[in-house]
Structure formats: structure tokens, C-alpha cells
């Protein structure tokens, strides 16, 4: 029996996946999550074989949640199921540790096959995503990365730079014109992606990479 958790903030999507997994032989839906934090908690508490993850969710996004799950519950296979198939999303999910990547709209048999594949330790991608990955590895070698921490978004890297410069959250929020809560959410995502537990660890990592020189 493959134990599954579904993480998606859209009720209609969760309803559809719930109906699918409760009807498929050999699968058991053991939990649902509506945010990245809930997904991480469910991975730790329920220890499912597969966690089906959306990328765009409240508080912690799917990329950061996948990276954190890889750290705290590495035996849980994350299968991304999302609307987004751009290169940045695909490669970020792979770097974070996702074992599969499907685009919403995939047929039920595709989802079923993907669940079985990642649960058994394999990797699977929707046809369009597979072509992107193949093109990446068969095309010209990419230019060397000049930006530190490529797993971070531009905004997250900007905030990390300010953290490394010893600015508190309130000052970061004022400088960037963001709400303090938004800054806090970005910082949670940064910590998960960098796999650090404290602000001090993040500052050390950032300064070693040359950030924080304002």
C-alpha cells in the first residue's frame, strides 16, 4: 500500500486528487496540506511514501518545502504537480530534491504511474518537462554561475544580502517596501533552501559567498 499526502492550497485540486487516490487500488491517502509548512509537518508526522506537492502555496513555497522535507524526512518521495513548467521552476524543484514533476492536467493514469514510480525510488517527468531536461543536458554547456545560491529567487537573494549586512527584519521590510510578515516568509524559505536553522548560520553562509557588503 502506497501512503500519500497531498499538498495544494486549492480545494478543487485536493478534492480531485482525494477522489483519485481513494479509488486507486494500492494507494492510501493519509493526509492533506494547504501550505508549505503543513506539507513539511505532514511529511514528518505521517511519513508517507509519496508527497504530492504544488509549487505555489502560502507561507513556504513548494520548492523550499521540498528542500526541507529532503532534510528532515529524506525517505519521503516528493512528486511535484503544478501549473508551472518554466525552466526555472523545473530545475529548482530538481535541485530541491523532487523525484518527479508533472504539470496539472496530467491524465489520471499518468499520475498513478508517477506515484508508483517515485514510491519505488524512480524518477518521472511529464513529456514536456522531460524534453526540457533532455535539451538542457544535450545542449551547449551553460555559462558558469556567477550569482551565489542559484536555488534562491532574486528577491530571496536580495533579502539574504541584507541579512548578511546585519539588518533586522523591520529594516529589511522598510528598505524593500515589503510587509514584515512577507519578509519573514521569505526568510523561512531562505533557511529551508540553504538548510540552515538559525540566522547566524545564514549570515555565515552568505558572507562566505560574498554577500552583506553594503
Amino acid at each position: 500500500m502506497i501512503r500519500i499526502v497531498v499538498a495544494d492550497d486549492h480545494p478543487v485540486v485536493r478534492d480531485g486528487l482525494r477522489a483519485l487516490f481513494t479509488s486507486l487500488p494500492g494507494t492510501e491517502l493519509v493526509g492533506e496540506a494547504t501550505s508549505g509548512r503543513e506539507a513539511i509537518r505532514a511529511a514528518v508526522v505521517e511519513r508517507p511514501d509519496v508527497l504530492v506537492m504544488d509549487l505555489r502555496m502560502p507561507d513556504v513555497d513548494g520548492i523550499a518545502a521540498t528542500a526541507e522535507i529532503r532534510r528532515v524526512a529524506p525517505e519521503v518521495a516528493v512528486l511535484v504537480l503544478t501549473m508551472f513548467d518554466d525552466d526555472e521552476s523545473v530545475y529548482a524543484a530538481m535541485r530541491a530534491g523532487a523525484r518527479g514533476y508533472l504539470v496539472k492536467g496530467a491524465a489520471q493514469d499518468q499520475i498513478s504511474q508517477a506515484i508508483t514510480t517515485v514510491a519505488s525510488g524512480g524518477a518521472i517527468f511529464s513529456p514536456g518537462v522531460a524534453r526540457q531536461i533532455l535539451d538542457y543536458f544535450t545542449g551547449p554547456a551553460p555559462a558558469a554561475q556567477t550569482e551565489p545560491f542559484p536555488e534562491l529567487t532574486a528577491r530571496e537573494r536580495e533579502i539574504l544580502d541584507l541579512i548578511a549586512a546585519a539588518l533586522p527584519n523591520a529594516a529589511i521590510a522598510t528598505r524593500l517596501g515589503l510587509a514584515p510578515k512577507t519578509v519573514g516568509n521569505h526568510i523561512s524559505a531562505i533557511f529551508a533552501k540553504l538548510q540552515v536553522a538559525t540566522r547566524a548560520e545564514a549570515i555565515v553562509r552568505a558572507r562566505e559567498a560574498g554577500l552583506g557588503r553594503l
Side-chain angles (χ1 to χ4, degrees):
M1 186 68 72
I2 300 174
R3 303 174 73 251
I4 302 168
V5 165
V6 170
D8 198 298
D9 64 327
H10 292 96
V12 173
V13 175
R14 293 198 308 276
D15 290 347
L17 292 175
R18 186 188 310 118
L20 172 61
F21 296 137
T22 54
S23 66
L24 283 177
T27 63
E28 178 186 8
L29 184 64
V30 298
E32 298 181 21
T34 62
S35 70
R37 292 188 193 281
E38 289 182 9
I40 296 167
R41 187 180 306 114
V44 173
V45 173
E46 301 295 344
R47 298 285 169 171
D49 299 299
V50 180
L51 193 147
V52 180
M53 178 79 76
D54 188 18
L55 291 187
R56 300 294 188 265
M57 288 193 296
D59 60 53
V60 177
D61 66 33
I63 299 294
T66 297
E68 181 66 5
I69 289 168
R70 185 182 185 185
R71 186 181 72 84
V72 299
E75 74 280 7
V76 177
V78 174
L79 171 65
V80 170
L81 180 63
T82 182
M83 292 173 55
F84 303 93
D85 62 354
D86 58 284
D87 289 352
E88 181 180 353
S89 296
V90 172
Y91 301 145
M94 296 301 100
R95 286 193 296 266
R99 295 190 198 169
Y101 198 110
L102 297 181
V103 178
K104 285 180 179 177
Q108 291 188 358
D109 60 341
Q110 287 180 299
I111 297 174
S112 175
Q113 179 187 0
I115 290 290
T116 302
T117 299
V118 300
S120 61
I124 193 165
F125 309 96
S126 61
V129 171
R131 282 193 296 272
Q132 288 170 248
I133 295 173
L134 183 61
D135 289 345
Y136 176 82
F137 285 108
T138 58
Q145 287 279 359
T146 57
E147 289 282 3
F149 310 116
E151 66 269 33
L152 301 182
T153 65
R155 175 64 84 185
E156 289 166 352
R157 196 176 300 111
E158 185 177 21
I159 290 174
L160 179 60
D161 190 29
L162 297 176
I163 290 173
L167 269 67
N169 288 13
I172 294 173
T174 299
R175 178 174 291 220
L176 299 182
L178 300 174
K181 183 177 180 181
T182 300
V183 172
N185 290 340
H186 279 304
I187 292 173
S188 294
I190 291 166
F191 284 14
K193 291 180 181 181
L194 298 187
Q195 298 186 21
V196 298
T198 67
R199 196 180 190 93
E201 289 181 78
I203 290 173
V204 170
R205 290 280 306 278
R207 288 182 177 174
E208 286 176 346
L211 300 183
R213 300 173 181 173
L214 298 181

